[in-house]
Amino acid sequence: MADTTGHPQDTGAPPDPGPRPRTSSWKYIGPGIVVAATGVGAGDLVATLIAGSNFGYTLLWAAVIGCLVKISLAEAAGRWHLSTGRTLFDGWASLGRWTTYFFGVYVVVWGFVYGAAAMSSSALPLQALFPDVMDLQWWGIACALVGLVFVWFNKYAVFEKVMTVLVGVMFVVTVYLAVRVTPHLGDAFAGLLPVLPDEKDSILNTLGLIGGVGGTITLAAYGYWVNAKGWTDTGWMKVMRLDNRVAYLTTGVFVIAMLFVGAELLHSANVAIASGDKGLVQLSDILEDKYGTATTKFFLIGFFATSFTSLIGVWHGVSLMFADFVARERNKGAAARGEAIASGARERSWPFRAYLLWLTFPPMILLFEGQPFRLVIIYGVLGAAFMPFLALTLVWLLNSGRTPREWRNGALSNVMLVVAGLLFLVLCVKQVWDQPWSEFF
């Protein structure tokens, strides 16, 4: 059998048949639910709402394609972990030191700014539900501390169960809203035809919708959650692929449901909402006027579940990646193995907990002081660069001798990953171009 570098060694013994494949079964589903919950945040739902409010059902096809693109990326990350037994960061490190420098800068800057954004997003629905209890900043701090304590003292199995419950809440709320607004199914099916809106920048807006929903560093974390579940070899490949499809079927339901709400509730009434998380607070006011207080409170609970799953998902998944990053750097030349993730050792390590503290405490300053202008620009550029980095490095890794031949990319995987890489590269260039560089210097 090939070793982990993909270079076969002839020992004269009969070939190892490899791990026995597990039967693909719904009872194993777990990491996919986690990645779906973490990847779809409040901002993603607002982006879909706005697409529905601006264009009706016209871009429904783009939302569906976006889910297919994410399936290919997450599947590729999971396949790397299972087929090689090595972690994704170990694969990146084999491509050269530049990947280490990029990830090291990215994870520090991104974590600092994202931490504050996640706190605010989780705090908004709580303040709307309990307006007289405390200010937004203190709700945000409370959410961060709850997330810190929960991830610090619980291992992956408990984390997955809680995420599954919160995803259930998200699912019920979004589907309820989609049914409540009474969608025109004929128009919705027509929206599956690839048509561009007849407006300025329609191509870039469409690409943004395809790339935006569920497209974050959590796609890279999927392989780590696969290992944390105890899946460490190719015997779990069929299970992982089913799990991944469930993840983005769930994401698709969230996206389509919110696009229905935008198309029926906002587009038909010509109502505009703000971008970002505050758009969901505006939506709650609209829902109260139309359907009453009970529907509004139900929606705000779903809004909180959406935001808080993203918070604790990042607190766990990206901390796991950071712990692997540090372990690989401390033990140069030694491969970072999936078994270390599966054992739970990374979740008990000091780098895991140090990054948890980094996500929690320094960003609290931004809740009171506002986000530093230059730092936000750097955050935006690094964030935009990560997705093409992920897609194109996966193409590189999964077509090389680093991956055993049986598990390298086929034609469809290559097409999907290259399309994803080009899509995110275009969005990255646009993001960099749109930054106010004249004010930066």
Side-chain angles (χ1 to χ4, degrees):
M1 184 177 177
D3 69 8
T4 57
T5 63
H7 301 294
Q9 297 175 341
D10 186 4
T11 62
D16 186 345
R20 184 175 180 179
R22 269 71 171 182
T23 302
S24 184
S25 172
W26 293 95
K27 69 181 180 180
Y28 294 122
I29 299 303
I33 296 298
V34 172
V35 77
T38 307
V40 180
D44 297 310
L45 296 187
V46 172
T48 312
L49 267 174
I50 291 174
S53 66
N54 289 342
F55 309 118
Y57 294 104
T58 304
L59 291 181
L60 181 59
W61 64 273
V64 172
I65 289 177
C67 291
L68 295 176
V69 167
K70 308 310 184 313
I71 286 174
S72 66
L73 281 165
E75 188 275 340
R79 178 155 44 93
W80 167 264
H81 278 250
L82 296 183
S83 66
T84 66
R86 299 160 61 189
T87 65
L88 184 55
F89 184 77
D90 195 63
W92 283 338
S94 73
L95 301 178
R97 292 293 296 171
W98 66 275
T99 60
T100 301
Y101 299 140
F102 174 78
F103 183 78
V105 174
Y106 171 82
V107 79
V108 171
V109 175
W110 183 88
F112 181 58
V113 181
Y114 179 83
M119 293 177 208
S120 295
S121 182
S122 298
L124 279 167
L126 292 176
Q127 189 186 42
L129 281 166
F130 310 105
D132 300 322
V133 175
M134 54 185 168
D135 292 338
L136 181 71
Q137 292 91 336
W138 296 108
W139 276 119
I141 289 171
C143 290
L145 293 175
V146 169
L148 171 68
V149 171
F150 171 72
V151 175
W152 189 291
F153 290 105
N154 289 289
K155 299 300 178 280
Y156 175 80
V158 176
F159 166 72
E160 182 189 286
K161 287 181 173 63
V162 170
M163 291 290 273
T164 302
V165 171
L166 291 172
V167 166
V169 173
M170 292 167 60
F171 188 91
V172 170
V173 170
T174 53
V175 171
Y176 167 77
L177 288 177
V179 172
R180 190 68 193 267
V181 299
T182 318
H184 290 77
L185 295 181
D187 292 343
F189 280 116
L192 294 173
L193 295 174
V195 176
L196 290 173
D198 186 21
E199 295 197 15
K200 182 182 178 183
D201 294 333
S202 61
I203 293 178
L204 287 174
N205 289 333
T206 303
L207 292 178
L209 180 61
I210 293 173
V213 179
T216 68
I217 192 174
T218 54
L219 285 167
Y222 178 64
Y224 287 85
W225 285 321
V226 162
N227 286 159
K229 180 76 168 174
W231 306 347
T232 58
D233 57 48
T234 55
W236 292 101
M237 196 70 76
K238 286 185 178 180
V239 176
M240 181 276 292
R241 285 170 167 162
L242 174 63
D243 178 76
N244 179 44
R245 289 169 191 143
V246 169
Y248 284 96
L249 177 62
T250 306
T251 300
V253 170
F254 295 151
V255 169
I256 291 170
M258 295 310 287
L259 194 136
F260 281 7
V261 173
E264 295 295 341
L265 196 61
L266 304 178
H267 182 69
S268 58
N270 197 26
V271 175
I273 61 171
S275 60
D277 301 339
K278 291 183 179 178
L280 291 184
V281 176
Q282 286 182 266
L283 179 62
S284 69
D285 295 334
I286 296 168
L287 288 170
E288 183 166 18
D289 290 340
K290 193 168 180 65
Y291 299 116
T293 302
T295 296
T296 301
K297 292 190 180 300
F298 190 49
F299 166 71
L300 288 171
I301 291 170
F303 177 5
F304 173 73
T306 301
S307 299
F308 194 64
T309 51
S310 292
L311 187 150
I312 60 175
V314 166
W315 263 230
H316 185 276
V318 184
S319 297
L320 206 54
M321 293 182 70
F322 182 77
D324 185 56
F325 165 74
V326 173
R328 178 64 171 71
E329 288 302 294
R330 292 175 67 192
N331 302 293
K332 294 188 186 298
R337 311 290 303 182
E339 286 87 350
I341 309 295
S343 71
R346 293 283 188 268
E347 293 170 278
R348 296 187 294 271
S349 67
W350 71 260
F352 180 90
R353 289 176 170 172
Y355 195 73
L356 264 179
L357 296 173
W358 174 252
L359 283 167
T360 303
F361 290 104
M364 290 179 184
I365 300 169
L366 303 183
L367 295 179
F368 295 95
E369 300 295 331
Q371 297 183 352
F373 178 72
R374 289 182 175 84
L375 185 63
V376 171
I377 291 180
I378 295 170
Y379 166 80
V381 171
L382 288 172
F386 184 81
M387 291 303 290
F389 167 80
L390 173 63
L392 297 175
T393 53
L394 283 171
V395 172
W396 191 347
L397 290 169
L398 292 168
N399 283 288
S400 72
R402 297 172 179 83
T403 304
R405 186 174 297 279
E406 179 185 358
W407 302 109
R408 292 178 197 167
N409 278 354
L412 180 60
S413 294
N414 275 326
V415 168
M416 292 299 290
L417 288 176
V418 169
V419 167
L422 294 176
L423 163 68
F424 289 117
L425 193 59
V426 169
L427 294 175
C428 176
V429 170
K430 182 180 185 297
Q431 178 80 356
V432 172
W433 182 266
D434 288 344
Q435 297 297 329
W437 294 107
S438 60
E439 300 174 33
F440 182 87
F441 297 103

